[in-house]
Amino acid sequence: MHYEPVIGLEVHVQLNTATKIFCSCATVFGEEPNSQTCPVCLGLPGVLPVLNREALIKAIRAGLALNCSISQYSKFDRKNYFYPDLPKAYQISQYDKPICGKGYIEIDTDGAPRRIGVNRVHLEEDAGKNMHSDDSANRVSFVDFNRCGVPLIEIVSEPDIATPEEAYQYLLKLKSIMKYLDVSDCNMEEGSLRCDVNVSIRPKGTTTLGEKVEVKNLNSFKAVKLSLEHEIARQKELLDDGERIHQETRLWDADRNETFSMRSKEEAHDYRYFPDPDLAPVIVDGSFIVEIKDAMPELPDVKIRRFIEEYALPRYDAGVLCAVRQIAEYFESVVREGAHAKKASNWIMGELLAGIEDPERIGECRITPTRLAKLISLIDNATISGKIAKMVFADMLESGEDPERIVESRGLKQVTDVSAIESVVDSVIEKNPASVADYRSGKEKALGFLVGQVMKLSQGKANPQIVNELLVKKLTR
Ligand code: ADP
Ligand code: ZN
Ligand code: MG
């Protein structure tokens, strides 16, 4: 039987507020365990949580960017469960009245862009972190509450995702948007972006949803893709063997590249949700939402469209440049400095992105937009060839020097003086009688070799067009 997968993602994004969601403790990552705690986030009796305004604003920003409706009335609920990293034995979350309702994310696929529905975005607090000693003689566990109470938004997709690749594209776009908004650093290693996947399969062409399996413990986008591929194959095999899929939660084992069962899936009623009596409902008026909307930056999808129109860039280029806000800004600066857009794009997508470690810190690169524009103009006005330009580029990256100074001091100026080139051409013709004979007997390829020899002798500085013309002229005489 032919099956098709159905995928939905639940993504937790840690908001980059200075303080926690319901108290004024700091949220710095990697500090001394339990140094950023207070009675509120430790869940001591008698304390009262107060909502962090900044967290609310960032959640609304995120919702607006994901095209979600924003609820003017939302509230917080207690999600009850016991775990050592959760001192209150409940997590404050949003159940039936989340801050953001339905929206969508546009993803890039081979064909036309596709919309993946967002079911909701809600605010909640993070839990702490358990740490287990790996000393088998002394098996102790510790708990660090620094993360307890750090604000999260959970973004729940509709089951609209059709392939592991689409899931990957969804995450890329989601991350790109969150970073544009500056609501999170989305650092997966530090846990500020976490993703759980839900996947089921169904006979191709049918519409009812199959039983889904949830996979957790995915610590990279690659793991998301791999685990989905694995899980889809596993479910197909089960169904083909006449077995049933049981709704459950599985964990991804990155070392063995497989999922294993963790527990049968819990239901909402297991959590005994009820409204948190310590927190007033959140009422936001329209003007507050408009104010947040007005302060939003241009988002990747809009930027991509503008880049295609304004700079006549291929969609691919626009996508690469706009994936990271800082790259897009860098590109626009280079163009403002007078460079041709497609040429600027080629240099950035090729040499520059390969030459720097962190695309987000392109602004600190030694090759400033002004200097890259200058380098491009040196090629445009035939001062240097494209090939020499790559050398100059590498030099600029290392020395931080101005391209004109590099060209000058290293004597890299292109030779356009015909008589100077002519003497090199003559000596190449003289030294390579076999190739000359080949060319004259109709082997066009020999010309390439001879051009190469002239370029080599001139250390790449001869103007290739003049070299070509001179050679052809002399050889066909
Ligand atoms: P639960 O109550 O089990 O958490 P939800 O309805 O809240 O389930 O959905 C959780 C996630 O699972 C969402 O991203 C949703 O799109 C996805 N999902 C729901 N049903 C299915 C299904 N049958 N197959 C794949 N994904 C699904
Ligand atoms: Zn606190
Ligand atoms: Mg759910």
Side-chain angles (χ1 to χ4, degrees):
M1 178 118 60
H2 284 300
Y3 295 102
E4 63 181 15
V6 174
I7 300 164
L9 302 186
E10 294 166 290
V11 179
H12 284 93
V13 171
Q14 197 179 88
L15 300 179
N16 59 0
T17 53
T19 56
K20 294 186 179 180
I21 184 168
F22 299 121
C23 63
S24 53
C25 289
T27 54
V28 184
F29 181 83
E31 290 296 288
E32 182 71 19
N34 299 308
S35 62
Q36 297 177 142
T37 56
C38 75
V40 175
C41 53
L42 288 175
L44 302 188
V47 294
L48 286 174
V50 178
L51 177 60
N52 179 339
R53 184 185 167 89
E54 212 39 50
L56 177 69
I57 291 175
K58 292 201 162 179
I60 295 175
R61 253 166 101 78
L64 288 170
L66 303 179
N67 311 289
C68 294
S69 58
I70 307 299
S71 319
Q72 299 208 9
Y73 175 97
S74 63
K75 67 176 175 67
F76 287 98
D77 303 278
R78 291 184 178 181
K79 182 179 181 180
N80 299 279
Y81 65 97
F82 173 77
Y83 205 65
D85 64 11
L86 189 71
K88 301 194 296 298
Y90 61 83
Q91 176 194 27
I92 305 178
S93 181
Q94 298 191 298
Y95 181 52
D96 55 340
K97 296 276 180 215
I99 182 67
C100 312
K102 289 192 191 306
Y104 63 88
I105 294 182
E106 203 170 279
I107 60 164
D108 304 317
T109 56
D110 286 340
R114 227 166 80 70
R115 281 182 182 183
I116 305 297
V118 168
N119 175 273
R120 59 189 273 148
V121 178
H122 68 251
L123 260 171
E124 61 187 26
E125 59 179 349
D126 209 344
K129 217 173 189 170
N130 293 323
M131 291 178 296
H132 310 287
S133 76
D134 38 20
D135 177 359
S136 57
N138 183 23
R139 297 180 56 179
V140 210
S141 288
F142 302 94
V143 59
D144 175 8
F145 290 117
N146 281 354
R147 204 177 65 181
C148 209
V150 167
L152 300 176
I153 48 174
E154 179 173 347
I155 301 161
V156 183
S157 88
E158 299 288 0
D160 286 350
I161 300 168
T163 62
E165 174 61 24
E166 281 189 8
Y168 185 79
Q169 294 298 332
Y170 174 92
L171 287 172
L172 281 183
K173 185 53 82 61
L174 178 61
K175 179 174 170 181
S176 168
I177 293 172
M178 293 303 130
K179 300 200 78 153
Y180 261 74
L181 295 174
D182 189 29
V183 300
S184 172
D185 58 29
C186 292
N187 186 332
M188 257 187 139
E189 286 98 74
E190 293 181 3
S192 52
L193 189 151
R194 282 165 258 164
C195 173
D196 300 333
V197 307
N198 295 268
V199 54
S200 61
I201 60 173
R202 64 186 174 196
K204 219 180 170 105
T206 60
T207 52
T208 33
L209 292 174
E211 286 283 337
K212 76 173 164 29
V213 165
E214 182 182 24
V215 184
K216 288 179 179 283
N217 202 27
L218 301 163
N219 56 8
S220 67
F221 288 4
K222 204 177 121 216
V224 167
K225 210 168 148 183
L226 282 177
S227 68
L228 280 169
E229 281 163 4
H230 170 275
E231 188 53 31
I232 292 164
R234 192 187 67 88
Q235 291 185 17
K236 278 182 182 161
E237 210 167 293
L238 280 175
L239 290 189
D240 281 341
D241 288 349
E243 296 192 43
R244 281 192 47 196
I245 311 290
H246 296 284
Q247 184 156 316
E248 62 176 342
T249 300
R250 298 176 72 85
L251 290 182
W252 175 245
D253 182 335
D255 295 325
R256 303 172 61 180
N257 265 355
E258 59 186 33
T259 62
F260 60 92
S261 184
M262 176 170 88
R263 57 165 188 242
S264 66
K265 170 83 184 155
E266 68 290 341
E267 301 281 342
H269 62 246
D270 295 330
Y271 289 118
R272 296 293 189 269
Y273 278 103
F274 66 89
D276 192 306
D278 291 339
L279 284 159
V282 181
I283 315 255
V284 293
D285 59 29
S287 63
F288 185 66
I289 300 172
V290 169
E291 214 175 279
I292 298 173
K293 204 172 199 164
D294 288 345
M296 300 251 287
E298 183 181 42
L299 292 170
D301 290 333
V302 177
K303 213 188 262 300
I304 288 172
R305 275 181 210 120
R306 181 167 67 79
F307 275 25
I308 295 172
E309 263 184 38
E310 196 171 324
Y311 302 115
L313 288 178
R315 196 188 161 83
Y316 175 80
D317 291 47
V320 174
L321 297 173
C322 295
V324 175
R325 180 174 51 81
Q326 290 85 345
I327 305 263
E329 283 166 4
Y330 182 98
F331 164 81
E332 291 207 275
S333 304
V334 179
V335 174
R336 261 198 305 278
E337 294 287 336
H340 178 268
K342 178 59 181 153
K343 289 179 185 168
S345 165
N346 287 348
W347 277 99
I348 294 170
M349 293 198 309
E351 308 294 310
L352 192 55
L353 285 180
I356 58 174
E357 245 162 65
D358 182 358
E360 281 164 41
R361 292 171 62 184
I362 195 171
E364 296 162 32
C365 175
R366 292 176 134 174
I367 304 185
T368 59
T370 317
R371 288 189 173 157
L372 182 55
K374 228 186 219 173
L375 179 70
I376 294 171
S377 77
L378 290 177
I379 311 167
D380 286 346
N381 63 25
T383 306
I384 53 175
S385 67
K387 209 163 166 193
I388 293 285
K390 293 208 168 154
M391 275 170 58
V392 177
F393 185 93
D395 196 330
M396 284 163 81
L397 201 55
E398 220 182 274
S399 66
E401 276 275 9
D402 180 87
E404 273 166 335
R405 299 224 348 229
I406 295 171
V407 170
E408 202 62 53
S409 68
R410 291 180 59 183
L412 297 173
K413 260 202 183 119
Q414 184 161 254
V415 179
T416 46
D417 171 4
V418 176
S419 63
I421 297 176
E422 194 166 10
S423 67
V424 183
V425 166
D426 287 341
S427 88
V428 165
I429 289 179
E430 200 186 305
K431 283 189 207 135
N432 296 281
S435 299
V436 170
D438 280 351
Y439 180 75
R440 289 196 166 130
S441 69
K443 288 188 187 140
E444 291 277 328
K445 255 182 151 169
L447 183 67
F449 172 77
L450 293 168
V451 171
Q453 291 303 303
V454 177
M455 294 307 291
K456 205 163 144 194
L457 262 181
S458 74
Q459 287 158 320
K461 289 186 288 185
N463 178 304
Q465 206 183 328
I466 300 178
V467 173
N468 239 296
E469 283 166 11
L470 277 176
L471 268 171
V472 171
K473 204 169 94 192
K474 286 175 183 276
L475 292 178
T476 44
R477 254 212 302 258

